[in-house]
Amino acid sequence: MHDDIPLTIGRARRVLDERILPEVHATAVPLDTAWHELPGEPIAPAEGLALTFEPYEVGTPWGAAWGTTWFRLSGTVPAGWAGQRVEALIDLGFDKNMPGFQCEGLVYLSDGTPVKSINPRNQWVLIAEQAVGGETVEFFVEAASNPVLLDYHPFLVTQEGDVRTSSPKRLYTSRRMDLAVFAAEVHELALDIDVLLELQEELPQGPRRMRILQALDDALDALDLQHIPGTAPAARAALAEVLAAPAEASAHRISAVGHAHIDSAWLWPVRETIRKVARTTSSMTELIGQTDDFLYGMSSAQQYAWIKEHRPEVYAKVKDAVAAGRFLPLGGMWVESDTVMPTGESIVRQFSQGQRFFEREFGIRPKGVWLPDSFGYSPALPQLMRRAGFEWFFTQKISWNQVNKFPHHTFLWEGIDGSRVFSHFPSMDTYNSRLSGSEVAKAARQFRENRLATGSIAPVGWGDGGGGTTREMTGTAARLADLEGSARVTWEHPDAFFDRAKSELENPPVWVGELYLELHRATLTSQHQTKQGNRRSEHLLVEAELWCATAAARTDFAYPYDELDALWQQVLLQQFHDILPGTSIAWVHREAVERYAEVADRLEALIASALSALAGPGDRTIVVNPAPSLQSGALAQSAILTTDVAATTAVTLTEADGGIVLTNDLVRVVVDGRGLVTSAVDLTTGRDAIAPGQVANLLQLHQDFPNMWDAWDVDRYYRNRVEDLVDVTGLRASVDADGTARVTVSRAFSESTVTQEITLAPGARTLEFAQVTDWHETEKFLKVAFPLDVRAEHTIAETQFGAQKRVTHTNTSWEAAKFETSMHRYVLVEEPGFGVALVNDSIHGFDVTRDSVDGHVTTTLRLSLLRAPRFPDPETDQGVQTHRYGIVIGTDIVGATAAGTAMNTAVRTVTGAHGFDSLVQASGDVVVSAVKLADDRSGDLVVRVYEPGGRRGTGGLAVDGPFDEPVEVTLLEEIDPALPGVAAITDGVAAFPVDAFEVRTFRFPRRGAAH
């Protein structure tokens, strides 16, 4: 036979697009339309329905950026439509390629009942399954005119990302607001043809593909293009045989779950996300009602809480669908957070706040962590997931790697302590599947565990900006349930998939360490004030819990459960993976900084109130130490009178060779006339931390224009162009009254200025740098370099409850790809007998290079300070920015942990009658992470500790308060018989062994309380 394949395919595609699809709603009449444009922020639905409406003509532009327009649509069902399915068709000016990224709306009935959303891929609203002729119709659309910021030419500079700078111009022009008959058989024919066209595209030349193509020709021959509704059944009959052919016995199995992945903020503000969640969940509950087997999954307790508060009528439908087992709460977290930058306590609270909400509202605890789109995953997570009771982990983002293809899809992920969690990546490489032929074929073809396992997960639906699953997708799934040449598709709860995968893979492959994303590396630096606010809030929250718990144990102070929960939830929200990483629009980051300031004010008030209760009335000055180690003469988490603080020897400051020498009992530092550190000697060992002939505290400015994803990415070639900022505009030195030596350095470069206060305190190993930068650069990257005289095989960077090692060489492509990596409060390099750490108060990104001259190795650490991308926020980091960082001269991992903690947990002074002892005393090889009262409000004390050094040891805890002997609990503060508990209690000290980087949580029952 002649090869007519291209002719058949071209014929089918044209007939489908130009003849069949338009006939699905061909019989239509226009609705009467009226509108009301709101001048400001959105209003409640009840207020919207009560607005005064003016006549509106379809085709009239509507909606300035971030505006809301209420439309009232009304009409009468024609008599001839009786008994047919009637739908409303609403096209607000949609681009079908941008669901979730442009205008969208939520439909309400006149009585306030929510119906479903409308968006570019979901423009219909059911009016009646069997219409009654002459029946009147009225409904309303709350339409949001969100601007398109990620357009066909992406990453263009725009001021539309903030309501304060956006244009008042109307953005959209409506095209259609009609009542229409839904031609169900035509719709089904369109799905039949679409599925078969996409399937044959993936098939090899052979009988199956040829028979599909012949069936398509036969169907099109049976179809009268001038009478499509009447001949659609005959066309479908011609396709029935090829659609009925069953899949092969060995066909890959796809476990589909409806999905929308609604970013809690990104190219829209939080207030718009609240409405996106309501719109999407309305459509998903409607689709659940229209289908028998469709399952929709949604993560993020915060998003459920939003619709409960702001759209209770939508939430009622969600609760019903959850109870029916069709709407699936997933993930068990407050939001789908970044997992690289938040502290360990923040990750614990993501889990505890999320699981508490899901259990309270639905009686459900999700079994797995669902994080499809975060930008890399900390190696501390496996332990935390397991200790919070999770059984599995799901993500997709690692498929975005620039260089290396991840070798597994279903595997065990091992963390820094040795804990392992069963994990899965969808082999179709997307969390926004539409079940296209290419996606389904890809899932089967590249699944790495095909030898032993049978399937993968497919999150199905339009996402990022919401929208979710469509009826076209559920129709596709029905056809792919058992179809020759295709993977089998079944709607299935992820729990069921993971149970089956575990049974199939008795000895799964193991991946050890971080899941590093070889992309979006600049998210560790963009939007510095957002990151700074997060870091400060995290430490203030833990401090507030400590003092409130101490005061509640020793006085009549009432522990502020509700306020602490609310403040944690605000901070957890802002750890979402497009807020904390600095990749959202200006509006989002402006609000984030404002919220952090409010959180700080409220926490400072709580701390002041608790300390006032503890110190008693008086005017004596008291030093309060919230850190888990000695500071300023005060023991860990205690307070002393300033009269009890021992005197210290002042740092000597001398001038020599045009530079300044700072010396205390432990270190000697030389700062040259340019404000650069030329020497930093550990007086105990005689070792100089600075490499011979080099200078530290060297600010370096790079050109920074990545290939794409401006706020997200930094590409390796940024290193090719660098300017060393060595010129000074001022330098002076002095010694403070407390004996601290201070060198002040001023610089100017390009359009910006920098002032540094370099300080060395008495008895300190840390040379500190307090930097104020007035930053006015464009597409630049600011770093500060420390070339260290250390032959380090690894960097050791703090992560949640421990540290992770990364090699300093680039032997393989995996290592070379990690040219920008993460840390928390410190990064350490060491060789036997000597180590140097950099500590910071708000920095998360760094890089390392390894150089050798005549066999002498220098390890250079550079902290990442500021960037200046222009998309999506053209003013990113502009203006005054502050940093604190330091070099710890002669230390190890335990010392680096203490120094990093001290930089982030400063002592404070208060007035009162007396100091007070710590509530909890930790001993041995553990560090206290949290002291708080139990979430269940029993009054029990919860103490969390961890081993920071990466070695086995012992720990001890003693409590000076009205509490009984402790029991070990999970991160959710619940007893688990599998936990080892304490080994012995001697003289009030509970002793226990700890493994490397192990996290342990103990609950001390309140004495006399009922349990």
Side-chain angles (χ1 to χ4, degrees), residues 340-386:
V340 174
M341 290 178 279
T343 62
E345 279 304 317
S346 289
I347 298 296
V348 171
R349 308 315 171 90
Q350 289 284 356
F351 293 157
S352 65
Q353 291 282 350
Q355 292 289 52
R356 284 164 58 195
F357 181 91
F358 287 131
E359 187 159 44
R360 181 174 65 248
E361 292 294 315
F362 308 119
I364 289 172
R365 279 196 184 179
K367 293 183 178 180
V369 173
W370 182 273
L371 275 175
D373 186 33
S374 201
F375 307 148
Y377 305 91
S378 160
L381 281 181
Q383 176 181 200
L384 303 185
M385 287 189 274
R386 295 299 302 274

Side-chain angles (χ1 to χ4, degrees), residues 388-471:
F390 292 105
E391 299 175 8
W392 54 260
F393 170 66
F394 173 88
T395 188
Q396 176 270 326
K397 198 68 173 188
I398 302 300
S399 69
W400 285 39
N401 275 3
Q402 282 181 321
V403 179
N404 299 286
K405 192 171 184 64
F406 195 78
H408 314 300
H409 286 110
T410 306
F411 61 101
L412 288 174
W413 179 25
E414 181 179 315
I416 55 174
D417 73 312
S419 295
R420 293 177 174 181
V421 63
F422 197 81
S423 304
H424 177 72
F425 297 172
S427 52
M428 64 171 55
D429 291 347
T430 181
Y431 55 81
N432 289 329
S433 172
R434 62 179 185 87
L435 294 176
S436 69
S438 60
E439 290 169 345
V440 171
K442 184 178 185 181
R445 181 177 62 251
Q446 72 171 17
F447 181 56
R448 292 299 185 97
E449 282 64 54
N450 264 327
R451 289 192 176 203
L452 297 171
T454 59
S456 60
I457 288 178
V460 178
W462 299 106
D464 292 323
T469 317
T470 65
R471 64 181 174 189

Side-chain angles (χ1 to χ4, degrees), residues 30-54:
L31 287 159
D32 294 326
T33 57
W35 66 337
H36 187 116
E37 289 189 290
L38 295 178
E41 286 296 283
I43 59 178
E47 297 176 56
L49 298 176
L51 292 170
T52 301
F53 290 85
E54 300 294 332

